[in-house]
Amino acid sequence: MATTSSAPAMRSALNDMLWLLPVPLVLVVLSRVGVLLTDGAFVGVVLGLALFMTAGIWLRSVVRRRIFLAGALRADSPWYRHLRGGALMALVALAGAIPLAAILVVATVRVDGPHLLLGMVLNVPVLVLLRGFWSRRIAGHAVPRFRPMLALRLALAVNLGLLLLALAAAALFRTYPELSGLTLVDAVLSEAGRQQAASGLLQGLMQLAAAKDAMAWWLGQQVLPGVIEPGLQVAGWMVLVATDGLVVWSYLLICASVLTLVHWRAWHPGSHPE
């Protein structure tokens, strides 16, 4: 009986993984051809990702708003209709999605090894399994029609934490350019000068990202070696790689948008509170 009842859940999880796999695969392709993009192509890719990200962010925001309204207002109140979420909420989501999409594209084009992209591919089953885990854990607590989105939100939060810890651990053992003999300005200029792309806009953003990395590496080589306590060293490296969290969060938002759009008919909270 348990095997029979778990079969639909397994099929659903596999289906979600198949829908999510194109996300890291598209980023792998982008990492190979990104430097060849023109200004127009770069802007198009960023806007395309941002619009897709916005769709998921807006739909999840609608659910969160419905959760609030279901407990605060009567379904027949005119304020329920006015506050349930519309164009303004979508525009706010788009305003936040555009810089996140740009950060993700720049980081993907600049990636210098397989680790980040491989981690994104391996993260697909992790996110799906986390969502299934939280869906089961909150089954006895959450209102059924709001449970899927709550489970996804919890899965995203835990997934983000795990990926940030992985980034911090990888930063401790990664090989970095030797910058100890350079001033901070020279280190920044050296790394920024290495960035090349057909798009002037993309190259400028890559140079800014490289400058940020150079500052982190220079500080790591000049300041953190003086910190003897291992726990403080780990904390220091986590601060230095904190900006990489924006890349991870952007990727997770796109994955969440995929799941939201795929399941929206089933996940839609409806119009009336229970």
Side-chain angles (χ1 to χ4, degrees):
M1 179 66 69
T3 303
T4 302
S5 61
S6 63
M10 292 179 62
R11 285 196 297 268
S12 178
L14 289 174
N15 184 66
D16 287 347
M17 292 180 196
L18 290 176
W19 278 107
L20 286 173
L21 273 177
V23 177
L25 294 181
V26 166
L27 295 178
V28 169
V29 173
L30 187 60
S31 71
R32 303 296 183 185
V33 304
V35 293
L36 304 177
L37 296 176
T38 63
D39 282 343
F42 169 67
V43 171
V45 170
V46 170
L47 286 179
L49 291 177
L51 288 172
F52 187 80
M53 197 184 299
T54 297
I57 294 173
W58 177 72
L59 290 174
R60 291 191 299 278
S61 296
V62 168
V63 174
R64 290 196 296 271
R65 182 67 62 84
R66 297 284 178 87
I67 292 174
F68 167 74
L69 294 178
L73 297 176
R74 294 171 54 89
D76 56 357
S77 169
W79 284 104
Y80 191 96
R81 183 176 64 257
H82 296 320
L83 297 176
R84 61 186 178 180
L88 180 59
M89 184 184 289
L91 288 175
V92 171
L94 179 61
I98 289 176
L100 289 176
I103 289 171
L104 179 61
V105 172
V106 171
T108 301
V109 174
R110 291 190 63 242
V111 69
D112 57 358
H115 303 94
L116 177 62
L117 296 174
L118 179 61
M120 289 179 175
V121 174
L122 295 177
N123 188 71
V124 166
V126 174
L127 177 59
V128 172
L129 292 175
L130 280 173
R131 188 178 71 82
F133 168 79
W134 282 112
S135 182
R136 293 188 298 272
R137 291 289 295 176
I138 66 176
H141 307 279
V143 176
R145 64 195 180 119
F146 293 129
R147 188 177 71 188
M149 282 296 181
L150 292 175
L152 177 60
R153 194 174 185 183
L154 289 168
L156 289 173
V158 174
N159 204 176
L160 177 63
L162 292 175
L163 288 175
L164 288 178
L165 288 175
L167 282 175
L172 289 172
F173 301 101
R174 179 180 171 184
T175 301
Y176 296 93
E178 179 57 47
L179 303 176
S180 57
L182 301 176
T183 65
L184 178 58
V185 174
D186 289 338
V188 168
L189 293 177
S190 174
E191 291 302 316
R194 299 175 187 271
Q195 309 304 307
Q196 298 294 329
S199 166
L201 178 58
L202 174 58
Q203 182 173 334
L205 293 175
M206 290 172 64
Q207 289 173 339
L208 287 176
K212 180 269 298 181
D213 288 345
M215 291 179 64
W217 298 338
W218 189 88
L219 289 172
Q221 294 175 19
Q222 298 288 345
V223 179
L224 290 182
V227 180
I228 300 176
E229 177 60 40
L232 293 178
Q233 288 185 351
V234 172
W237 275 115
M238 290 185 69
V239 171
L240 293 178
V241 301
T243 52
D244 291 339
L246 291 175
V247 177
V248 173
W249 184 237
S250 301
Y251 168 72
L252 290 178
L253 284 179
I254 293 178
C255 290
S257 295
V258 171
L259 294 176
T260 302
L261 293 171
V262 168
H263 293 287
W264 182 243
R265 287 184 179 273
W267 290 3
H268 193 284
S271 302
H272 305 290
E274 294 182 354

